[in-house]
Amino acid sequence: MTDTTSTRSALTFEVNRRSDPTPADAIAKVHENPGFGKTFTDHMAVIDWTSDGGWANARVVPYGPFQLEPAAAVLHYAQEIFEGMKAYRHADGSIWTFRPEANAARFANSARRLALPVLEADDFVESLRQLVSVDRAWVPEPGDSGEKSLYLRPFMFASEAFLGVRPADGITYCVIASPAGAYFSGGLKPVTLWLSINYARAGAGGTGAAKCGGNYASSLAGQLEGIEHGCDQVVFLDSSTHTFIEELGGMNLFIVYKDGRIVTPELTGSILEGVTRRSILALAEEVGLRPEERSIPIQEWKDGAESGAIAEIFACGTAAVITPVGELRWEGGSCNHRREGHDDAVALKLRSKLLDIQYGRVEDTHGWLTRLV
Ligand SMILES: *Cc1c(COP(=O)(O)O)cnc(C)c1O
């Protein structure tokens, strides 16, 4: 646990506050039922980059539209990356975030893959601190569900107006924030997954391991196909053999066996390495499970559901934390590992372990928390 709000960033943020901040009662109204990604706080943090000047003009300004030229490269060539994190309010009023150095490192990797400039980890964390400090009133109390937070969305894009194809020379980095409740409105009811055969989200040598908007754009057709088949989310397989489980459009997957193994697809270069995934692998042994990272043929899921060897399947990511999975459907078939009397004991235990750490309800023995405010 890094219990300090001091900064090692060399950037100085100029703060320009809104003259008409949202009144406390209006924020309270948003906090009652925040949903996900609908309402944004009063401010945003922005930093500009050019190859000559490097990172400059760090600032916190009122949340509002960008001035973007129609020729801005991001609109044509999708040179863009993002991150997803949360700020958690603890009982004493202090505000913390979870493993930001992991997000900073991933953001740097994504930047390298998309030929964007790297923002130093200290500057990345400082941008979160600056925004959350100004908009601290927007960080909700955990609430009855015990899991309300302020979702933080750092992102970076090619803002240079130029239609030639090369890495852009004008880049905008920005952080926006949005109060978050439960990600899936239906509560913790299991999601039904669609097995995508027609579409892959990423391929060998592609951008699957980078957190970039393009991966999400390419997952949407599969998502639509899933919705047409009554499913909530899509499972993507490896693009070359259509054999091995990769992940969902925006979440990693775990299979829990009755014999105590907890298995997740190994990182192949086309899977996004989730911070939640990594944390679950670390927590698994503490709850008496045997974690494995390896390739998982989709047939193993079907067989394990049929034989009863699979106890639970769940998806994980910052936004939804841990979400139990139910049925798997595909063109012409389906399987379901859930039987009479099924519970999601492992998913729920890991979920509350994570949330207890994030909200400071238990000791942070892993040193995963960093204080923002
Ligand atoms: C962000 C993301 C995840 C989950 O990562 P976390 O760090 O756990 O939030 C998983 N898969 C994809 C494709 C993602 O973009």
Side-chain angles (χ1 to χ4, degrees), residues 132-173:
V132 172
S133 175
V134 172
D135 280 338
R136 67 184 75 182
W138 286 88
V139 182
E141 299 286 344
D144 294 339
S145 65
E147 58 173 290
K148 287 182 189 172
S149 62
L150 185 66
Y151 184 77
L152 305 175
R153 169 54 62 88
F155 60 106
M156 191 199 291
F157 61 92
S159 41
E160 184 193 5
F162 180 61
L163 292 184
V165 180
R166 57 148 170 76
D169 197 15
I171 303 294
T172 303
Y173 168 79

Side-chain angles (χ1 to χ4, degrees), residues 82 84 103 106 201 211 216 247-252 272-277 316-319:
F82 66 96
N103 294 88
R106 186 169 70 189
R201 71 171 272 288
K211 206 168 177 74
Y216 279 71
E247 60 169 320
L248 311 192
M251 284 191 281
N252 297 116
L272 195 284
E273 183 182 6
V275 178
T276 318
R277 172 190 182 277
C316 68
T318 297

Side-chain angles (χ1 to χ4, degrees), residues 54-273:
W55 293 106
N57 305 325
R59 58 204 186 270
V60 175
V61 293
Y63 176 93
F66 290 117
Q67 285 244 345
L68 206 57
E69 290 208 33
V74 65
L75 301 177
H76 305 273
Y77 308 129
Q79 198 191 0
E80 187 270 355
I81 58 173
F82 66 96
E83 271 301 325
M85 314 168 67
K86 283 175 171 173
Y88 308 92
R89 187 181 288 281
H90 287 192
D92 66 357
S94 59
I95 298 168
W96 301 72
T97 193
F98 185 71
R99 308 188 76 175
E101 59 292 335
N103 294 88
R106 186 169 70 189
F107 197 57
N109 285 337
S110 300
R112 284 185 275 266
R113 181 63 185 83
L114 275 288
L116 285 160
V118 168
L119 183 67
E120 292 302 324
D122 289 341
D123 299 336
F124 177 86
V125 175
E126 181 62 13
S127 71
L128 308 177
R129 184 170 278 142
Q130 289 284 335
L131 177 61
V132 172
S133 175
V134 172
D135 280 338
R136 67 184 75 182
W138 286 88
V139 182
E141 299 286 344
D144 294 339
S145 65
E147 58 173 290
K148 287 182 189 172
S149 62
L150 185 66
Y151 184 77
L152 305 175
R153 169 54 62 88
F155 60 106
M156 191 199 291
F157 61 92
S159 41
E160 184 193 5
F162 180 61
L163 292 184
V165 180
R166 57 148 170 76
D169 197 15
I171 303 294
T172 303
Y173 168 79
C174 181
V175 191
I176 55 175
S178 173
Y183 185 76
F184 292 114
S185 46
L188 264 193
K189 91 179 180 352
V191 289
T192 298
L193 298 185
W194 175 248
L195 181 58
S196 175
I197 299 299
N198 295 324
Y199 302 106
R201 71 171 272 288
T207 54
K211 206 168 177 74
C212 65
N215 292 342
Y216 279 71
S218 89
S219 76
L220 293 177
Q223 180 73 25
L224 279 183
E225 196 183 70
I227 288 167
E228 277 163 25
H229 290 86
C231 298
D232 306 296
Q233 296 278 316
V234 178
V235 185
F236 291 101
L237 300 176
D238 76 284
S239 65
S240 46
T241 70
H242 301 285
T243 307
F244 299 106
I245 300 167
E246 295 220 312
E247 60 169 320
L248 311 192
M251 284 191 281
N252 297 116
L253 260 181
F254 279 88
I255 298 181
V256 183
Y257 281 93
K258 290 195 175 136
D259 65 12
R261 286 172 298 145
I262 179 166
V263 191
T264 194
E266 66 186 348
L267 302 172
T268 55
S270 49
I271 294 175
L272 195 284
E273 183 182 6

Side-chain angles (χ1 to χ4, degrees), residues 307-323:
S307 73
I310 292 178
E312 296 176 37
I313 301 176
F314 62 81
C316 68
T318 297
V321 194
I322 288 179
T323 302

Side-chain angles (χ1 to χ4, degrees), residues 7 10 14 26 37 45-46 68 71 90-91 108 137 205 225 274 284 326 361 367-368:
T7 175
E14 191 172 307
V46 186
L68 206 57
H90 287 192
E225 196 183 70
R361 297 189 282 250
W368 283 345

